[in-house]
């Protein structure tokens, strides 16, 4: 497949507006202005594009929830708070092709009538934030942002907002809180952001990859897009492969490419041993093992395997990997990133991490594994946002395949591997 | 204390938002920029500029890990990712190596105030693991030799 989203990954000049325009950039925006906003929404609906941030919600449908009242202030917030361990795809777009995102955001904003948009980028991406700021300034200068863009009558302002080290701000309502200058803690839904989001106004929150896909849909049409990959979740997808593989990196492939092909063909196979397990979509996604390797990497196929596509960040582990340690690192992360709003998540993830720490240190006690399982039951479904659920999904996914390693730690005080 | 330049930058960034309060995060980033610390005085001044209670500035500053609230860090703040992808590729060895080279433990600062070593959760650079961030810069595909070179370069700077 000819890359769409990563076409400029190895072009060191692509971040400049002249280079982007020379490659046909902002032509989709021009084309979008010849269409009715509602027709753009319909086109995106027809394409079957589903959100690439992890939830897989149909993008066109999300846009259509925004009230049509033209006098009402509306916002677009681009979620660039890429923080799910194993995920590094949005950074690839931001650093190397920032105008692709800006063009996608401007088209989206035109479609549902947002006059202001924010790119919420994680604070650690200082390089990316500076690059976006520079690209936005260029876009203003060339008339792709600002007043009356390309004579269309549509005006739009775009700003970068830097986070400051909080994974939870990738959750859309926490992101809004953070954009309003608050602690990033999730809000109860409803009201959904499409009705009451930023500054209590209708707001769409879309991932970087999702928005960067939009210009190609405008250019090539819904049919073209729907023809790539599976019928129910088509399109190109960026898979990020990391861990024990020969060639870690970003691979843009048709949605639904089998995980075996991604790991063994594209990423060059296993490094330093044989395949043990892979986490398919960022650490929240339950693990896949050898027998699952023919699973297609799309939202529905992975859901059928009780896992999820999430961000498409594939973390590969070889046979030297201790799964208790993997569980410890994973839970330590969730415990560190829990915003503290809900007791089950805040206390539960901390407690599980303490148990895993002693197991890893050779001081596990009989019943520790069962205790972890009991605690998972007290977190799952009992929290405000999906962070707590995510923590339990990760550890349950691990235990489903490798419970014996946990018991071995309990009984012998050391690794089985 | 906020410099005149910082105050100007904060006033400029306030224009991006509908409410004054929304500028609290960029204001904290600006305040921290040159000295790598947010002081109590900074927070009071930000509160005054944004017309919000100082406690609001403080609660926001304390929530986000990147603000060094009343915490002195070295001139070069080394943060090594120790999450899954980096860990699989020996991040622990890199951390131990830096501890040895600088003669400090994670969380510590060298006696000359030049380096602080911390661990960080996923920095979104998993394809080039193991990696670390020093102040604003990412250093990727780390090896012990590469770390030696980076530390030597920074040590030779003042």
């Amino acid at each position: 497949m000819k890359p769409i989203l990563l076409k400029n990954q190895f072009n060191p000049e692509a971040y400049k507006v002249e280079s982007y325009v020379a490659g046909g950039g902002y032509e989709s925006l021009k084309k979008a202005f010849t269409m009715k906003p509602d027709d753009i929404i319909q086109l995106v609906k027809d394409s079957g594009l589903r959100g690439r941030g992890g939830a897989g919600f149909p993008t066109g449908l999300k846009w259509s929830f925004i009230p049509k009242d033209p006098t009402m202030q509306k916002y677009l917030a681009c979620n660039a708070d890429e923080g799910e361990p194993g995920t590094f795809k949005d950074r690839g777009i931001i650093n190397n092709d920032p105008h692709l995102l800006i063009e996608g955001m401007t088209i989206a904003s035109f479609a549902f009538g947002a006059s202001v948009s924010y790119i919420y980028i994680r604070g650690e991406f200082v390089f990316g934030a500076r690059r976006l700021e520079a690209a936005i300034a260029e876009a203003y200068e060339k008339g792709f942002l600002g007043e009356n863009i390309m004579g269309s009558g549509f005006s739009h302002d775009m700003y970068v907002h830097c986070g400051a080290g909080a994974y939870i701000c990738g959750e859309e309502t926490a992101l809004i809180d953070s954009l309003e200058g608050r602690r990033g803690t999730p809000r109860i839904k409803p009201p959904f952001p499409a009705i009451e989001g930023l500054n209590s106004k209708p707001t769409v929150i879309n991932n970087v990859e999702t928005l960067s896909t939009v210009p190609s849909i405008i250019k090539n049409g819904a049919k073209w897009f729907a023809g790539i990959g599976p019928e129910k979740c088509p399109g190109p997808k960026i898979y990020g492969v990391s861990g024990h593989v020969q060639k870690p990196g970003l691979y843009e492939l048709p949605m639904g490419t089998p995980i075996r092909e991604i790991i063994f063909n594209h990423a060059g196979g296993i490094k330093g041993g044989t395949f043990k397990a892979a986490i398919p979509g960022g650490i929240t996604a339950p693990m896949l093992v050898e027998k699952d390797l023919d699973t297609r990497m799309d939202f529905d196929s992975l859901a059928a395997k009780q896992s999820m596509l999430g961000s498409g960040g594939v973390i590969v582990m070889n046979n030297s990997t201790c799964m208790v340690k993997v569980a410890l690192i994973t839970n330590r992360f969730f415990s560190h990133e829990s915003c503290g709003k809900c007791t089950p998540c805040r206390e539960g993830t901390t407690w599980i991490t303490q148990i895993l720490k002693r197991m890893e240190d050779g001081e596990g006690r009989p019943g520790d594994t069962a205790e972890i399982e009991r605690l998972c039951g007290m977190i799952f479904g009992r929290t405000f946002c999906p962070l707590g659920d995510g923590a339990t999904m990760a550890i349950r996914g691990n235990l489903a395949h490798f419970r014996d390693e946990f018991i071995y730690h309990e009984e012998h005080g050391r690794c089985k591997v | 204390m906020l410099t005149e330049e910082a105050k100007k930058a904060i006033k400029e960034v306030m224009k991006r938002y509908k409410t004054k309060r929304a500028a609290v995060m960029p204001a904290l980033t600006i305040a921290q920029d040159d000295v790598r610390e947010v002081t109590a005085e900074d927070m009071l001044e930000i509160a005054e500029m944004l017309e919000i209670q100082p406690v609001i500035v403080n609660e926001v500053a304390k929530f986000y890990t990147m603000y060094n609230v009343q915490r002195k860090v070295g001139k070069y703040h080394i943060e090594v990712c120790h999450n899954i992808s980096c860990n699989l590729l020996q991040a622990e060895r890199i951390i131990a190596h830096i501890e040895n080279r600088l003669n400090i433990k994670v969380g510590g600062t060298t006696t000359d105030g030049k380096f602080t070593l911390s661990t960080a959760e996923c920095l979104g650079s998993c394809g080039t693991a193991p990696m670390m961030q020093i102040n604003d810069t990412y250093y990727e595909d780390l090896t012990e030799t590469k770390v030696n070179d980076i530390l030597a370069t920074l040590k030779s700077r003042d």
Side-chain angles (χ1 to χ4, degrees), chain A residues 271-329:
Chain A
K271 187 177 178 180
T274 55
F275 177 83
K276 182 169 186 177
I279 299 169
I283 52 166
T284 307
M287 286 176 192
L288 301 179
V289 291
E290 184 86 41
K291 66 177 169 52
D292 305 318
L293 279 176
D294 291 315
T295 309
R296 291 185 174 278
M297 288 282 289
D298 62 64
F299 294 110
D300 303 321
S301 305
L302 280 160
K305 287 270 174 193
Q306 277 75 53
S307 187
M308 61 183 204
L309 177 65
S311 60
V314 180
I315 305 160
V316 181
M317 290 162 277
N318 70 17
N319 57 335
S320 73
T321 312
C322 167
M323 289 304 171
V324 174
K325 187 158 196 187
V326 170
L328 171 62
I329 293 166

Side-chain angles (χ1 to χ4, degrees), chain A residues 142-164:
Chain A
K142 298 277 177 193
F144 301 134
L145 284 173
E147 294 291 317
N148 189 19
I149 302 168
M150 293 169 160
S152 62
F154 175 71
S155 300
H156 188 77
D157 286 314
M158 189 178 291
Y159 305 106
V160 174
H161 179 98
C162 295

Side-chain angles (χ1 to χ4, degrees), chain B residues 63-100:
Chain B
F63 182 82
Y64 297 94
T65 54
M66 281 176 66
Y67 301 126
N68 300 316
V69 183
Q70 294 166 284
R71 174 189 175 218
K72 280 239 178 309
V73 296
K75 184 161 188 225
Y76 297 106
H77 190 188
I78 305 170
E79 297 177 89
V80 189
C81 172
H82 69 161
N83 208 293
I84 186 81
S85 300
C86 285
N87 190 284
L88 290 170
L89 297 174
Q90 309 292 329
E92 282 174 356
R93 197 189 283 174
I94 298 290
I95 294 164
H97 183 71
I98 299 173
E99 285 182 331
N100 283 333

Side-chain angles (χ1 to χ4, degrees), chain A residues 85-86 88 91 118 122-125 130 133 160-161 164-165 178 181-182 184 242 244 283 325 329 332-333, chain B residues 16-17 21 24-25 60 63-66 82-85 87-88 92 122-126 133 136 138 140:
Chain A
F88 51 100
R91 178 172 170 240
Y118 293 93
R122 63 177 297 176
E124 292 88 345
F125 285 174
R130 286 183 188 148
E133 295 268 15
V160 174
H161 179 98
S178 187
R182 300 168 200 279
S242 65
H244 294 143
I283 52 166
K325 187 158 196 187
I329 293 166
R332 184 187 63 200
F333 170 76
Chain B
R16 298 180 170 197
Y17 305 96
R21 175 184 178 147
V24 65
M25 288 179 70
V60 171
F63 182 82
Y64 297 94
T65 54
M66 281 176 66
H82 69 161
N83 208 293
I84 186 81
S85 300
N87 190 284
L88 290 170
E92 282 174 356
C122 189
L123 292 168
S125 186
C126 319
Q133 180 172 24
D136 292 344
Y138 274 27
E140 300 163 60

Side-chain angles (χ1 to χ4, degrees), chain A residues 254-287:
Chain A
M255 182 75 95
T257 302
I259 190 165
R260 185 191 298 278
E261 199 182 314
I262 295 172
I263 297 172
F264 291 91
N265 297 8
H266 299 283
I270 306 303
K271 187 177 178 180
T274 55
F275 177 83
K276 182 169 186 177
I279 299 169
I283 52 166
T284 307
M287 286 176 192

Side-chain angles (χ1 to χ4, degrees), chain A residues 211-223:
Chain A
L211 289 161
S212 301
T213 304
V214 172
S216 67
I217 297 175
I218 300 291
K219 184 182 170 202
N220 303 312
K223 243 193 182 151

